[in-house]
Coordinates of all heavy atoms in Angstrom, one line a residue:
K466 N 114.5 123.9 99.3 CA 114.3 122.4 99.6 C 115.0 121.4 98.5 O 115.3 120.3 98.8 CB 113.0 122.0 99.6 CG 112.1 122.2 98.4 CD 110.6 122.0 98.7 CE 109.7 122.3 97.4 NZ 108.3 122.2 97.8
Q492 N 126.3 110.8 105.1 CA 125.2 111.1 106.1 C 124.3 112.0 105.5 O 124.8 113.2 105.0 CB 125.9 111.5 107.4 CG 124.9 111.7 108.6 CD 124.4 113.3 108.4 OE1 125.2 114.1 108.2 NE2 123.3 113.4 108.9
E505 N 111.6 114.4 90.2 CA 113.0 114.5 89.5 C 113.9 115.3 90.3 O 114.9 115.0 90.3 CB 112.6 115.2 88.0 CG 112.1 114.3 87.1 CD 112.7 112.9 87.0 OE1 114.0 112.9 86.9 OE2 112.0 111.7 87.0
L513 N 122.9 112.4 93.8 CA 124.1 113.0 94.3 C 124.6 112.2 95.4 O 125.9 112.0 95.5 CB 123.8 114.4 94.8 CG 124.9 115.4 95.4 CD1 125.9 115.5 94.3 CD2 124.3 116.7 95.8
Q601 N 132.6 95.5 109.8 CA 133.8 94.7 109.7 C 134.6 95.0 108.3 O 133.9 94.9 107.3 CB 133.6 93.2 109.9 CG 134.8 92.5 110.0 CD 134.8 91.7 111.4 OE1 133.7 91.7 112.1 NE2 135.8 91.3 111.9
G611 N 123.2 103.4 117.2 CA 122.1 104.3 116.9 C 121.2 104.4 118.2 O 120.9 103.5 118.9

Side-chain angles (χ1 to χ4, degrees):
K466 63 186 173 185
Q492 179 266 329
E505 286 306 312
L513 185 60
Q601 190 117 19

